[in-house]
Amino acid sequence: SGILNSLVLTWPSLFNFDITFFSTRLTAIFLISLILYLTFKIIRHEIDLIKSIALISPLVLFFALTKDPDYLHYSSELVSCLLLVLSYWVLIKNYKKIGNYSYIVVPFLLGLVLFAKIQFFPVALVLFVLFLVNISLFKLTVRKICLSCIALVLPSVLILTPYLIHDTINDYFINYFEFSKDFITKSQEVSWTTN
């Protein structure tokens, strides 16, 4: 899980509150609600209201009625899912409008996925390629494609620059990549020895 997952959980400190299990669960409920709302808006964009409600209802009922703690607590997938769903919603809402800034906003949101959860980044790259195909179908301009590519890379520049300035980029990669790799390797070793 990336740096954005940690930053999202620190919102209580903005109001001088402690970060607690309750605030973490409240964050999860808020993120799940946003994801469900945006999913509804995406469905609603394509079909009428009654069918949209019918399609989203099982998902809403599941999260409303479940007692399983795995679905109620904060998980590192929520921020990534929110970024992917939000970028898709911005895309479908604006793709036919001339003069909008979705060709900057969508790639920027997709670029943030790398710092939410790295496993979701291939999905973000696929969405980015589909986005480029989409904008090239309506108006193929090299300028828009270049700006989109810059917007995709911009989150990496913004987040990694302080690490480069303070010469701690190695620490970032150890914490973000090496730790995860070692954790997965050790957990697989444990599962092989117990079987």
Side-chain angles (χ1 to χ4, degrees):
S1 117
I3 191 170
L4 292 182
N5 283 307
S6 302
L7 288 175
V8 165
L9 292 174
T10 61
W11 67 266
S13 62
L14 295 173
F15 304 102
N16 291 325
F17 294 131
D18 292 332
I19 300 167
T20 62
F21 183 70
F22 175 74
S23 70
T24 303
R25 187 166 278 192
L26 194 61
T27 305
I29 291 168
F30 178 74
L31 291 174
I32 290 169
S33 299
L34 269 176
I35 291 167
L36 291 174
Y37 175 73
L38 289 171
T39 304
F40 172 75
K41 294 294 279 181
I42 290 167
I43 295 169
R44 179 72 180 98
H45 188 265
E46 300 298 326
I47 58 177
D48 65 62
L49 181 63
I50 302 299
K51 290 178 185 171
S52 299
I53 291 171
L55 284 172
I56 199 73
S57 292
L59 199 53
V60 171
L61 288 172
F62 173 77
F63 280 106
L65 300 175
T66 186
K67 300 284 188 245
D68 189 333
D70 288 338
Y71 294 106
L72 297 176
H73 71 80
Y74 180 83
S75 107
S76 60
E77 287 82 13
L78 290 176
V79 174
S80 302
C81 285
L82 178 62
L83 289 169
L84 291 170
V85 171
L86 180 60
S87 64
Y88 187 70
W89 181 71
V90 170
L91 172 65
I92 65 167
K93 203 68 177 141
N94 296 296
Y95 75 100
K96 287 186 179 176
K97 295 178 184 170
I98 298 171
N100 70 67
Y101 293 97
S102 64
Y103 62 93
I104 294 172
V105 174
V106 170
F108 184 81
L109 291 170
L110 294 173
L112 287 172
V113 171
L114 180 63
F115 299 98
K117 190 156 181 105
I118 197 166
Q119 294 91 326
F120 280 61
F121 195 61
V123 176
L125 285 178
V126 168
L127 278 175
F128 178 68
V129 170
L130 293 173
F131 170 74
L132 288 180
V133 169
N134 188 22
I135 63 171
S136 66
L137 290 175
F138 285 98
K139 255 195 176 169
L140 177 61
T141 62
V142 176
R143 181 179 162 269
K144 280 188 178 180
I145 291 174
C146 288
L147 285 173
S148 295
C149 292
I150 290 168
L152 180 74
V153 175
L154 189 59
S156 297
V157 172
L158 293 174
I159 291 172
L160 294 178
T161 297
Y163 290 100
L164 287 168
I165 290 171
H166 296 290
D167 198 29
T168 56
I169 194 76
N170 192 38
D171 295 338
Y172 175 81
F173 282 104
I174 288 170
N175 288 329
Y176 197 47
F177 296 104
E178 291 297 322
F179 177 78
S180 300
K181 187 180 85 170
D182 291 344
F183 178 78
I184 291 168
T185 304
K186 287 191 192 306
S187 66
Q188 287 177 344
E189 287 173 3
V190 168
S191 68
W192 280 105
T193 57
T194 57
N195 290 337

